[in-house]
Amino acid sequence: MSEYFSNIKTATTTIATGLTITLRHFINAVKRKGDAGIDDADFFRQVDGLCTLQYPREVMPTPANARYRLYNNIDDCIGCNQCDRACPVECITIETIKVTADDLAICGKTSGGQQKRMWVPVFDIDVAKCMTCGICVSVCPTECLVHTPVADFSEFDVRNMVYHFGNLSKIEAQAKTKKLEEEKAAKAKAAEAAAASGQAPVPKPAPKPAPKPAGDQAGE
Ligand code: SF4
Ligand code: SF4
């Protein structure tokens, strides 16, 4: 008989414990998990509350140093093409125009003080292809190409996934190309005129190879 009542007691206690846990979660579910970002030390300790995000009205926060969508601070880009050459999936497209002597001051310097010698009318990154490997970022000599914490950039039209960072419009690029061609033509004309008047620069003779040490000659 005592075992009969003992079983009833165990069953009642078990049901009460289970219902208490259910009730606690039910009460906690009316409040959010918290607004701490995932870089917050105790983000994953917040076990109570709703964790489902109401996407797209809400998005998962990302740490400030997260390595997601790329951004090029074009004011510091020298158009060296290293990022394009290093990209394993060829998602960077760059077109450059050499800066004419007249425009060097207009083109300006990078924030690190380096004179820019290239206009960069086209600097496109197809982020639909980009796998955020960061190789381009690591080879950039001016550190103008960086990852951003922007992780959510979905689009209805895949063509909108190409991001443009160029520093010239098409019309401006045409004008700069024309100016460069004119400068080249003027230089060629000046060189021709100098040659015709006998003032062409005399080419320097090639340096003679240094004689090999006697020991090396013996070994040949
Ligand atoms: S992060 Fe990687 S895949 Fe993306 S553009 Fe740079 S090198 Fe290419
Ligand atoms: S490596 Fe950097 S400086 Fe060179 S073209 Fe790319 S973004 Fe510009």
Side-chain angles (χ1 to χ4, degrees):
M1 197 59 152
S2 66
E3 189 185 349
Y4 175 77
F5 286 111
S6 171
N7 286 345
I8 290 175
K9 187 184 166 196
T10 305
T12 311
T13 313
T14 308
I15 290 168
T17 306
L19 282 176
T20 307
I21 293 170
T22 305
L23 193 63
R24 197 174 71 228
H25 281 292
F26 182 72
I27 292 167
N28 280 337
V30 298
K31 59 184 181 189
R32 300 305 308 269
K33 191 170 176 176
D35 54 5
I38 56 172
D39 52 345
D40 203 298
D42 62 352
F43 179 78
F44 292 106
R45 288 194 211 112
Q46 301 175 86
V47 291
D48 294 329
L50 282 179
C51 59
T52 307
L53 293 175
Q54 301 299 310
Y55 185 85
R57 276 193 296 113
E58 297 172 325
V59 290
M60 178 67 101
T62 52
N65 59 351
R67 302 186 340 160
Y68 294 115
R69 196 174 83 192
L70 289 170
Y71 172 77
N72 187 7
N73 176 13
I74 198 70
D75 289 342
D76 272 357
C77 178
I78 55 172
C80 66
N81 251 351
Q82 291 198 52
C83 51
D84 180 18
R85 284 198 294 267
C87 177
V89 293
E90 298 177 2
C91 61
I92 300 179
T93 307
I94 304 179
E95 286 175 20
T96 55
I97 303 167
K98 196 166 177 259
V99 177
T100 56
D102 289 351
D103 279 353
L104 278 176
I106 300 170
C107 194
K109 296 182 178 178
T110 64
S111 58
Q114 185 175 354
Q115 174 64 54
K116 294 195 280 180
R117 298 187 182 280
M118 293 287 180
W119 296 110
V120 189
V122 176
F123 193 109
D124 293 350
I125 303 177
D126 187 344
V127 293
K129 286 188 196 167
C130 175
M131 53 186 182
T132 60
C133 65
I135 296 175
C136 56
V137 173
S138 63
V139 299
C140 178
T142 61
E143 298 180 358
C144 63
L145 191 58
V146 290
H147 288 284
T148 64
V150 183
D152 181 3
F153 41 95
S154 50
E155 295 280 354
F156 285 109
D157 187 337
V158 73
R159 286 170 294 187
N160 293 338
M161 301 288 276
V162 179
Y163 288 80
H164 309 286
F165 297 97
N167 58 10
L168 291 180
S169 67
K170 270 191 181 172
I171 293 173
E172 288 170 330
Q174 282 168 358
K176 297 293 181 197
T177 307
K178 192 172 168 222
K179 197 170 176 184
L180 180 65
E181 281 166 4
E182 284 169 0
E183 187 189 72
K184 280 183 188 169
K187 274 186 184 169
K189 210 171 168 185
E192 270 178 30
S197 63
Q199 293 173 354
V202 181
K204 285 184 186 171
K208 286 181 185 174
K212 288 183 180 177
D216 282 5
Q217 285 167 358
E220 281 176 357

